[in-house]
Amino acid sequence: MMLLDVRPHTHPAGPSPSAISADESPGPETYVSPPYLLRTKIHVPSNATQWPAHSHPEHELLWTDRGVVTMFADGRQWTVAPGVGLWVPAGVEHEGSSRESTEVRATYFAPETWNKAWDRPVAVRVPPAVRELLIHLSRAPMSKTERLRAQQVCMDMLELTDDVGVDVPIPHDRRLAFLVEMILSDPADDRTLEQWASLLNMTSRTLTRVFSTEIAMSFAQWRRLVRMRAALGFLAEGTSVKVVARLVGYSTTSAFVSAFRKTVGHTPGEFAEHL
């Protein structure tokens, strides 16, 4: 079952006024019922999962406790790993996939109660305290007052993060479609700019110009970014730095560590320690 299919069930009778269950029943088109602020759905698929393009009438924070989710939103590819979530505003179309046994969490927020100006997909820090509280809210019975107070604490603690970038801009020029598809599916592909230009039936100068115009970076910079985002996913799964280096196209571990630090701001080991 996909996360998109996990809809809350409607209870035949309303809860008592003193003890509101963790599984509040929203309306047919939403996950969050007034006067509540948010609601978290937990999903642990046994197999890799695909989400087709879709949108929600509520804001969504997609995050994980284990494993990696890859999402496409706002013309960019995002890697969601433990500790960093993806904020998707209400109405923004997104699609993606998760790997096997990824512990996916989706927290939905009522737009009318959200007061931060996050009007486009952004990376959001999800500290351990917030993760634990969101899971507790999804399972534990509480009074209405207690639930609202705990939900507000979660909202107050969420903040944007620049520590670990998780987005890769996607060129939309049709001439680059095959190149983009191939490198996103295999970041270790080491064909040169000239080889790609020949394969795409264009000059290397034209290919360079298209990349610069589309995403304001060179082909080499873009491919390194793709490789580092793939590396984040492998590291989050516990793969050794040496193996990750090979999986994302580096012949030596030292070259990979240097590129990772330059791009992400931390060494792979430092990143893994914070998972």
Side-chain angles (χ1 to χ4, degrees):
M1 181 182 294
M2 295 193 304
L3 180 63
L4 300 179
D5 298 326
V6 183
R7 284 283 180 175
H9 300 290
T10 301
H11 299 289
S16 68
S18 59
I20 306 300
S21 74
D23 202 19
E24 295 299 333
S25 300
E29 301 297 328
T30 61
Y31 284 97
V32 186
S33 295
Y36 299 101
L37 312 178
L38 58 87
R39 188 164 191 259
T40 298
K41 298 300 294 182
I42 296 174
H43 182 52
V44 184
S46 57
N47 301 309
T49 303
Q50 294 277 344
W51 295 278
H54 65 286
S55 62
H56 304 284
E58 297 160 308
H59 303 313
E60 178 184 12
L61 177 64
L62 187 68
W63 53 287
T64 74
D65 262 341
R66 183 183 66 184
V68 174
V69 174
T70 299
M71 297 298 293
F72 290 88
D74 194 31
R76 307 175 86 87
Q77 181 196 57
W78 304 79
T79 299
V80 181
V84 181
L86 173 62
W87 178 264
V88 183
V92 173
E93 189 170 86
H94 52 289
E95 61 183 295
S97 62
S98 69
R99 301 180 185 179
E100 184 176 336
S101 298
T102 299
E103 297 186 1
V104 184
R105 285 80 170 94
T107 301
Y108 300 92
F109 297 80
E112 62 273 14
T113 64
W114 184 256
N115 57 14
K116 297 178 182 179
W118 299 353
D119 57 358
R120 61 185 304 173
V122 289
V124 174
R125 178 171 296 284
V126 186
V130 173
R131 289 157 59 186
E132 291 299 324
L133 185 51
L134 286 173
I135 291 175
H136 181 69
L137 279 165
S138 72
R139 296 172 174 168
M142 297 181 184
S143 71
K144 176 180 175 181
T145 300
E146 290 172 334
R147 184 167 296 279
L148 286 171
R149 184 166 60 242
Q151 290 180 346
Q152 186 62 59
V153 169
C154 289
M155 292 172 62
D156 293 341
M157 292 181 67
L158 292 174
E159 58 184 25
L160 302 182
T161 178
D162 294 323
D163 289 349
V164 180
V166 293
D167 60 310
V168 176
I170 304 299
H172 292 293
D173 191 300
R174 292 182 179 179
R175 292 172 293 179
L176 301 185
F178 180 67
L179 179 156
V180 170
E181 179 182 356
M182 292 298 292
I183 292 182
L184 289 180
S185 63
D186 180 18
D189 189 316
D190 63 356
R191 276 175 281 199
T192 65
L193 174 72
E194 290 73 22
Q195 289 173 321
W196 275 113
S198 177
L199 188 62
L200 299 175
N201 196 28
M202 64 174 66
T203 66
S204 57
R205 178 177 295 182
T206 298
L207 181 55
T208 297
R209 184 175 64 251
V210 173
F211 261 93
S212 178
T213 300
E214 284 273 311
I215 58 175
M217 64 176 63
S218 69
F219 165 72
Q221 291 172 325
W222 180 79
R223 182 168 62 182
R224 183 173 64 242
L225 195 58
V226 171
R227 288 176 168 181
M228 294 306 104
R229 298 311 172 263
L232 291 176
F234 290 125
L235 290 168
E237 294 176 336
T239 308
S240 71
V241 174
K242 182 178 180 179
V243 172
V244 173
R246 176 175 53 81
L247 290 173
V248 298
Y250 287 86
S251 58
T252 68
T253 302
S254 60
F256 165 66
V257 171
S258 177
F260 191 93
R261 178 190 289 136
K262 181 177 181 180
T263 306
V264 178
H266 306 283
T267 66
E270 290 169 342
F271 171 76
E273 287 177 0
H274 288 86
L275 295 177

